Amino acid sequence: MTLPAVLVLFLFTLGPALYAFFLSLFSWSLLNKMHYVGLSNFAFIFASHLFWTAVWNTASFAFIVVPTQTLVALFIAVLLNQNLPARGFLRLAFFFPAVSSSAVISIIFMWIYNKFGILNGLLAVVGIHGPNWLANPLFALKSIMIMNIWTTSGYFMVVFLSGLQAIPQNIYDAAEMDGANSWQRFSRITVPLLKPTTFFVVIMGVIGTLQMFDQSFILSGGTGGPLHSTTTLVLLIYQYIFSYGKVGYGAAVTVILFAFTMIATLIVNRWLGKSIEY
Amino acid sequence: MKVLGNVHLSAKGALSLLSAPIILAACSSSSASTASPPSNQPVTITLSGWTSSPVEAQLLTKDLAGFSKKYPYIHVNYRPISGSGSNYESVLRTRFVAGDAPDVIYVNNGGESSTFMANNDLIPLNSYIKSTNFSIKDFYSSSLSLFEKGGKIYGIPKDQSPLALFYNTAMFAKAGITHPPTTWAQLAADAKLLTNPSQHVYGLINSVQEPRWAEFLYQAGGGVMNSSMTKFTLTSPASVKGYTYFVDLYKNGYATVPTTVGATWGGQAFGMGKAAMVLSGNWLIPFLNQTYPSIHFNTAVLPSGPANNLSLTFPVAYGITKDSKHPNAAWKLVSYLTSQSGMTRWMKLGLALPTRQSLVSLPYYKQHPVTQGLLSQLPHSIAWTFPPGFVQFSSTTMVDQTTLAIENKETPKQALINMQNGGQAILSSNNG
């Protein structure tokens, strides 16, 4: 029974992954014959300024986006777990970005972030002269962070909501009887009992942000600009392989990204992955 | 990369305006099969190209309707590849890997076409040219030689356009400027007069890609590379002079990049009425007519620098891929589109200028005087090209350095030194 699943897994997931390891040792332009070059692709990548820029961009993206989106998602989830009017509508409104295509969202945000777009129009109302968000290297990646947080928070909110609803009400009732105020109930009951959910949210967040590609690609027109400020590791992989025909370099970065992702996942696992005790 | 080395020929003719004559006799060794399938048996071929704007796809679809009337048994699937920058070639690359490339493709002169030729992804057309008595004498040799390597012709140039100066006639009249600038000094003075930052209006709006500033290097007597494309010449005194002039237009605030006015490219900024001038090609004319019909504009040759008023031109060819199962039908399409009458038809759609010398005097141009600036620029232009392996360099490194220069974060000279070093490093690794 498991054979088809294993076959599919090997064909579409494990196979290509192993092939990336293989390719990282070769020089190939997709069009010519590949030849073995040992570890020289890695030597090139580690000496490449552009690679370290991409590492910095990807890491700072993950460090800012993951905690922010987790906190925002938790906050909205707790809020929408109350008996609010129009609760269903609000849940839908927050979840909506998660079911939209990120390409479409990116294009909408190109207009929002335009020098004369809605965002700067709103800022002008309160007397702030807004920057040229996507054309300014200082703001381009931050703009994408804001967009990403907006997009993914809704999805993780739903995950948190389901986690919240799995917490038995009687624990809260008992705590209330013992005189715990609402902050204590939140920090001593909700947060610890949500740990498995938080673990899932953080792991998915870390993996998702380390793999960020589409938003950078669309908002920078595929260049990772201005001045490489939005070049992420996956965008760099794409450029090396498909734009510049340097498959070996791209595959080497892929292998390095695999290592980074694994290390980050192990760290999160150590921190949040322990089973919880009531 | 080693594998990309040793291929300079495609570029050879590009910078030498006096290209060698094309020797047909040397081409007969081509092994392409001319054994034609039984004619009138229905076949389907695919044609892919990029689109300079949605207008191009509409116009080509129109032109292809005539082909299917003439050859009812050949069905042409037109599949334009959209996307910006090098996306077209990225997509083609994957199609080549899959062994499923379109039969007929646009081949450009500055990107990876030279790589496609070097890897034999395109088939030599010599035997087809010969067997159908297709005359290639009429083509500008500067265009044809871009798609020729070792006596083999890999593409038939379909059209080209040089960059010329587009200017907003209403803005010029309002500012009291009677004629377009003809010298660098006039260009700077006019741009200054036409700039009004409080209205977000600038004298000149262009992105800082290499093809928008390289002409200033040529106009100063310098250049990007030497004529045999074996060495960069970005740091020669003349090149520095031309580049500094370009950078100063931006630093003085008379010129800016499209994003400053909320546009994505210079032509759009011009259409929005935010730019009094823009350097652009023929493709801008149908775009403006369709998207911004209220803009009044005209074209003129580029203003002269200390040496000349050279511009860059962008020839595009049709090539047939090795994956084509019906090369004979594909050749029928290519020759239909690029023949004397085919190119005449295409020219009348107004998207680009001819690569056939005889068509420059087409009556169409008399009826459309707005193309005069582009036509007059054509004899004073160099075909834009790079050797294989320079896509990353020309699309990011050169843009980045120029961005730093116009933002005054490094001197023009330093930007050129950085580009010179980067370019030389790629050249030496290609040859190594």
Side-chain angles (χ1 to χ4, degrees):
Chain A
M1 282 305 279
T2 53
L3 187 65
V6 170
L7 266 180
V8 167
L9 184 74
F10 194 82
L11 206 62
F12 294 107
T13 308
L14 275 178
L18 292 174
Y19 192 48
F21 278 85
F22 169 81
L23 284 177
S24 69
L25 304 175
F26 285 78
S27 169
W28 187 34
S29 80
L30 286 178
L31 299 173
N32 61 0
K33 275 214 165 66
M34 55 175 89
H35 64 265
Y36 180 75
V37 292
L39 290 173
S40 71
N41 288 332
F42 289 92
F44 173 88
I45 289 298
F46 283 123
S48 146
H49 192 68
L50 187 54
F51 168 72
W52 292 109
T53 306
V55 169
W56 169 252
N57 288 340
T58 309
S60 56
F61 189 81
F63 269 111
I64 292 175
V65 170
V66 175
T68 315
Q69 78 188 8
T70 308
L71 291 175
V72 170
L74 180 61
F75 177 77
I76 303 171
V78 170
L79 207 65
L80 293 185
N81 203 28
Q82 321 290 322
N83 262 325
L84 290 179
R87 191 172 66 170
F89 171 78
L90 287 172
R91 283 181 183 175
L92 178 73
F94 283 111
F95 187 63
F96 191 68
V99 291
S100 312
S101 135
S102 72
V104 172
I105 290 174
S106 300
I107 288 169
I108 295 170
F109 269 76
M110 276 175 91
W111 290 104
I112 295 176
Y113 285 135
N114 187 295
K115 177 94 186 289
F116 303 104
I118 301 170
L119 181 58
N120 280 351
L122 288 175
L123 289 175
V125 171
V126 293
I128 299 171
H129 185 71
N132 198 346
W133 293 93
L134 296 174
N136 187 329
L138 281 178
F139 291 99
L141 190 64
K142 294 178 184 75
S143 307
I144 300 178
M145 288 175 183
I146 294 169
M147 182 179 92
N148 196 290
I149 290 165
W150 176 80
T151 317
T152 46
S153 295
Y155 172 73
F156 290 130
M157 171 205 76
V158 171
V159 179
F160 272 128
L161 264 178
S162 73
L164 284 172
Q165 281 162 12
I167 300 175
Q169 184 61 31
N170 57 12
I171 303 180
Y172 289 106
D173 294 342
E176 209 170 350
M177 297 276 268
D178 292 341
N181 62 27
S182 56
W183 171 250
Q184 285 170 324
R185 272 177 278 147
F186 174 74
S187 61
R188 300 294 173 84
I189 299 172
T190 312
V191 172
L193 291 189
L194 270 181
K195 212 168 149 193
T197 314
T198 313
F199 174 62
F200 172 78
V201 168
V202 172
I203 283 279
M204 296 312 282
V206 166
I207 294 174
T209 48
L210 290 180
Q211 291 181 351
M212 198 272 280
F213 164 77
D214 40 0
Q215 295 152 343
S216 268
F217 182 84
I218 293 170
L219 290 178
S220 70
T223 62
L227 297 176
H228 298 297
S229 60
T230 60
T231 302
T232 60
L233 283 169
V234 182
L235 182 56
L236 187 65
I237 292 168
Y238 171 86
Q239 288 178 335
Y240 272 139
I241 296 180
F242 296 109
S243 304
Y244 311 146
K246 310 212 158 160
V247 178
Y249 294 166
V253 180
T254 310
V255 170
I256 298 165
L257 177 62
F258 167 76
F260 283 168
T261 312
M262 195 159 84
I263 293 166
T265 311
L266 287 175
I267 292 171
V268 174
N269 189 36
R270 276 214 131 174
W271 173 44
L272 288 169
K274 292 183 205 116
S275 61
I276 43 156
E277 61 292 322
Y278 278 83
Chain B
M1 262 166 106
K2 206 178 213 164
V3 289
L4 296 179
N6 309 330
V7 188
H8 311 292
L9 258 160
S10 63
K12 209 174 192 174
L15 286 181
S16 61
L17 288 167
L18 311 160
S19 297
I22 292 132
I23 301 157
L24 259 177
C27 313
S28 53
S29 63
S30 163
S31 62
S33 158
T34 47
S36 54
S39 58
N40 300 346
Q41 192 180 322
V43 293
T44 299
I45 55 174
T46 309
L47 164 66
S48 283
W50 67 88
T51 51
S52 57
S53 73
V55 181
E56 180 163 0
Q58 291 168 24
L59 295 180
L60 188 53
T61 307
K62 213 164 146 184
D63 199 18
L64 289 172
F67 180 76
S68 50
K69 271 203 195 107
K70 191 171 178 194
Y71 298 100
Y73 59 95
I74 302 177
H75 178 67
V76 181
N77 259 335
Y78 174 47
R79 295 264 179 276
I81 295 170
S82 61
S84 56
S86 58
N87 190 54
Y88 170 72
E89 282 157 347
S90 303
V91 172
L92 270 188
R93 215 177 250 283
T94 59
R95 300 287 298 274
F96 274 123
V97 179
D100 183 31
D103 298 85
V104 180
I105 58 169
Y106 280 23
V107 188
N108 82 351
N109 54 322
E112 291 289 86
S113 313
S114 41
T115 315
F116 293 154
M117 288 194 256
N119 290 305
N120 295 317
D121 292 312
L122 300 170
I123 61 169
L125 302 174
N126 303 57
S127 58
Y128 297 95
I129 292 170
K130 210 174 170 191
S131 66
T132 57
N133 293 320
F134 185 84
S135 170
I136 54 167
K137 286 199 197 90
D138 191 22
F139 288 93
Y140 285 105
S141 55
S142 58
S143 301
L144 194 59
S145 60
L146 284 177
F147 308 104
E148 201 196 351
K149 189 188 139 221
K152 291 180 179 168
I153 296 171
Y154 291 92
I156 306 293
K158 71 182 190 78
D159 61 27
Q160 64 177 329
S161 177
L163 295 178
L165 185 76
F166 282 69
Y167 62 101
N168 184 313
T169 47
M171 284 164 116
F172 268 59
K174 206 173 154 203
I177 306 170
T178 50
H179 56 84
T182 55
T183 63
W184 276 9
Q186 283 178 19
L187 175 63
D190 290 351
K192 184 181 181 184
L193 198 60
L194 292 157
T195 298
N196 185 353
S198 65
Q199 297 290 312
H200 308 295
V201 170
Y202 293 85
L204 180 74
I205 299 186
N206 267 127
S207 63
V208 293
Q209 292 158 322
E210 187 264 354
R212 297 297 179 281
W213 50 257
E215 47 274 58
F216 292 95
L217 273 57
Y218 296 115
Q219 288 164 13
V224 176
M225 295 182 89
N226 62 358
S227 58
S228 54
M229 298 217 133
T230 50
K231 196 170 169 278
F232 277 85
T233 56
L234 289 163
T235 47
S236 75
S239 295
V240 174
K241 191 173 180 184
Y243 188 73
T244 306
Y245 172 80
F246 172 84
V247 169
D248 282 347
L249 289 175
Y250 286 75
K251 283 211 281 204
N252 291 332
Y254 319 146
T256 190
V257 290
T259 52
T260 311
V261 299
T264 51
W265 59 294
Q268 190 193 6
F270 186 76
M272 288 159 67
K274 298 294 182 191
M277 294 178 274
V278 64
L279 303 191
S280 191
N282 202 140
W283 55 83
L284 184 56
I285 296 176
F287 173 77
L288 289 174
N289 289 342
Q290 284 215 352
T291 318
Y292 298 101
S294 59
I295 283 286
H296 297 284
F297 67 96
N298 204 348
T299 63
V301 292
L302 296 186
S304 294
N308 54 50
N309 75 333
L310 278 180
S311 183
L312 296 167
T313 185
F314 300 85
V316 178
Y318 282 120
I320 301 178
T321 65
K322 67 166 170 36
D323 297 341
S324 176
K325 289 188 183 65
H326 307 289
N328 284 303
W331 170 251
K332 282 205 172 72
L333 177 63
V334 171
S335 53
Y336 173 83
L337 292 168
T338 55
S339 65
Q340 181 86 10
S341 58
M343 197 179 287
T344 305
R345 256 192 337 269
W346 182 238
M347 289 307 123
K348 283 184 182 164
L349 296 175
L351 194 74
L353 295 184
T355 42
R356 286 176 171 274
Q357 300 169 46
S358 60
L359 296 186
V360 175
S361 51
L362 219 58
Y364 171 86
Y365 296 115
K366 294 257 161 24
Q367 296 147 18
H368 294 79
V370 76
T371 52
Q372 198 51 52
L374 291 154
L375 269 180
S376 312
Q377 186 72 62
L378 199 52
H380 307 282
S381 55
I382 297 172
W384 181 71
T385 192
F386 272 101
F390 275 87
V391 173
Q392 180 179 16
F393 182 74
S394 64
S395 65
T396 66
T397 310
M398 292 181 120
V399 175
D400 290 351
Q401 290 300 323
T402 308
T403 303
L404 292 172
I406 65 165
E407 288 177 356
N408 215 359
K409 287 177 184 146
E410 66 183 24
T411 62
K413 177 93 196 253
Q414 189 57 49
L416 288 171
I417 291 172
N418 293 347
M419 288 188 256
Q420 173 83 19
N421 295 341
Q424 286 298 125
I426 299 171
L427 276 181
S428 55
S429 71
N430 276 359
N431 295 328

